[in-house]
Amino acid sequence: YEMSVHGKVSSETGDLAFEPPEVSKMRKSFDNYADLRSVEMIDIHADKHMEKMLRDKLALHHRSLFIFSTDNKIRVFVFRLTHHRLFEALVIILIFANCFFLAMDDPTKSESEQPPYLLHMEYFFTAVFAFEMCLKVFGQGFVLHEGSYLRNGWNVLDFFIVTLSFLAFLPFFGNYSAIRMLRVLRPL
């Protein structure tokens, strides 16, 4: 069935399909996981989205935070949840809502002169984005292996923004609403 290190014969057409060594290596690493068998159907013409999905699924091949195993059912559920398109759409909606409330903030006024709902919304959005970050770290792992949370540039930006959001609640730390506004770049 396997013709060479980088080629396979399609069982349907009988054609030889060549793939990059990275995809071949990932395919071999997934052979032991039954729920990742769909990777076996990868075509030579896999687009960037497919490559991203493979890198993301590689995160399930490693322990998360040195605690949660590769077959932990809760971790697999959280991983699938955070990579679902509806979850990502909800996060983008929340980002735009956060930007709307940030635009209502008047930096020339002190915190006591601001409407109280703005501060409540800032607490709400900080908690929601921190929860999203924790879910992704739980599902993907933090930083040490391929596909982990901090190996994605947008997640690094999110981590930086969430950390600054928490620091902004300290009395001696400034308000960095302009940096939090960078979340609007994420849908791009």
Side-chain angles (χ1 to χ4, degrees):
Y1 186 77
E2 192 161 335
M3 301 265 313
S4 69
V5 176
H6 303 297
K8 286 193 174 205
V9 175
S10 170
S11 60
E12 297 174 10
T13 63
D15 296 335
L16 180 62
F18 288 93
E19 59 191 21
E22 299 85 6
V23 175
S24 178
K25 190 183 299 182
M26 283 186 230
R27 183 191 312 276
K28 288 176 186 174
S29 69
F30 289 145
D31 283 344
N32 298 329
Y33 296 92
D35 60 327
L36 298 176
R37 291 277 184 208
S38 63
V39 176
E40 290 292 320
M41 305 307 284
I42 295 174
D43 190 0
I44 174 82
H45 302 293
D47 59 353
K48 297 272 184 200
H49 181 68
M50 182 62 77
E51 290 175 25
K52 179 188 177 303
M53 286 176 38
L54 283 173
R55 273 196 310 275
D56 288 344
K57 284 192 176 191
L58 190 58
L60 281 178
H61 188 65
H62 301 280
R63 287 184 160 278
S64 172
L65 303 173
F66 299 109
I67 301 170
F68 305 105
S69 68
T70 58
D71 58 350
N72 182 307
K73 292 180 191 245
I74 297 171
R75 178 182 175 216
V76 172
F77 172 77
V78 167
F79 179 85
R80 289 182 180 158
L81 173 75
T82 58
H83 285 80
H84 195 276
R85 62 184 170 92
L86 293 177
F87 181 84
E88 292 175 356
L90 175 67
V91 169
I92 289 172
I93 290 169
L94 288 169
I95 288 170
F96 283 124
N98 183 33
C99 290
F100 173 75
F101 281 101
L102 285 172
M104 293 173 60
D105 187 20
D106 186 0
T108 61
K109 293 182 181 178
S110 67
E111 206 171 284
S112 60
E113 296 173 359
Q114 295 281 356
Y117 65 87
L118 285 180
L119 184 62
H120 297 300
M121 292 309 292
E122 187 173 339
Y123 290 145
F124 170 76
F125 284 117
T126 300
V128 166
F129 291 126
F131 182 68
E132 178 217 3
M133 181 181 75
C134 290
L135 284 177
K136 285 186 172 186
V137 167
F138 175 70
Q140 296 173 241
F142 189 58
V143 72
L144 291 180
H145 57 271
E146 184 71 28
S148 61
Y149 181 74
L150 286 182
R151 295 286 181 107
N152 180 318
W154 292 113
N155 289 339
V156 171
L157 178 67
D158 281 345
F159 178 76
F160 181 68
I161 291 169
V162 169
T163 304
L164 279 180
S165 297
F166 278 114
L167 291 176
F169 296 133
L170 299 175
F172 57 86
F173 205 78
N175 187 356
Y176 292 98
S177 61
I179 293 174
R180 289 196 308 271
M181 190 71 103
L182 289 175
R183 277 195 185 116
V184 79
L185 297 175
R186 189 170 173 199
L188 301 175

